[in-house]
C-alpha cells in the first residue's frame, strides 16, 4: 500500500542472504508474491550490464531494488558486489 501511495519513491533492500543457493527460487517467489511487479529483478544468469537509473525504474513502474550479500549469478536478486 505504501508503494502505491508513494509512486515517486524507490526502496532499496539489502539482504544478508543466509538462504542456501538451492532455496533461492523459493526466496524469489516470496519476493514476487509480496512485492508483485514493483520489484526490479534481474534476468537470472544474465551478465551484469549497468544499474538502472531512477528515471528508468520509474518508467518501468519499479519501486523496489533488492540486493543480496551472496546471490549467485543464476539468481533474480542483484548481488551487491555487481
Amino acid at each position: 500500500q505504501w508503494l502505491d501511495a508513494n509512486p515517486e519513491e524507490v526502496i532499496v533492500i539489502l539482504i544478508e542472504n543466509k538462504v542456501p543457493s538451492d532455496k533461492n527460487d523459493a526466496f524469489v517467489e516470496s519476493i514476487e508474491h509480496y512485492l508483485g511487479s514493483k520489484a526490479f529483478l534481474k534476468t537470472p544468469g544474465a551478465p551484469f550490464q549497468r544499474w538502472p537509473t531512477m528515471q528508468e525504474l520509474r518508467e518501468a513502474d519499479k519501486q523496489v531494488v533488492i540486493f543480496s550479500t551472496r546471490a549467485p549469478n543464476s539468481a533474480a536478486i542483484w548481488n551487491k558486489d555487481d
Side-chain angles (χ1 to χ4, degrees):
Q1 294 174 341
W2 187 88
L3 293 172
D4 292 332
N6 297 278
E8 294 298 314
E9 300 297 328
V10 173
I11 297 171
V12 176
I13 300 172
L14 174 61
I15 299 170
E16 287 191 26
N17 196 352
K18 306 296 183 198
V19 177
S21 59
D22 64 329
K23 304 288 186 200
N24 195 58
D25 288 341
F27 182 65
V28 171
E29 287 173 12
S30 295
I31 290 168
E32 290 175 333
H33 172 76
Y34 289 104
L35 298 174
S37 64
K38 298 292 185 184
F40 179 77
L41 301 174
K42 73 177 186 119
T43 302
F48 178 74
Q49 298 292 320
R50 67 173 179 79
W51 295 109
T53 65
M54 293 295 285
Q55 185 65 34
E56 289 168 336
L57 287 170
R58 288 184 184 116
E59 288 173 357
D61 195 30
K62 304 297 181 186
Q63 291 179 265
V64 182
V65 179
I66 304 168
F67 295 92
S68 168
T69 56
R70 64 179 186 114
N73 189 43
S74 61
I77 306 292
W78 296 94
N79 188 315
K80 72 174 184 66
D81 295 327
D82 279 347

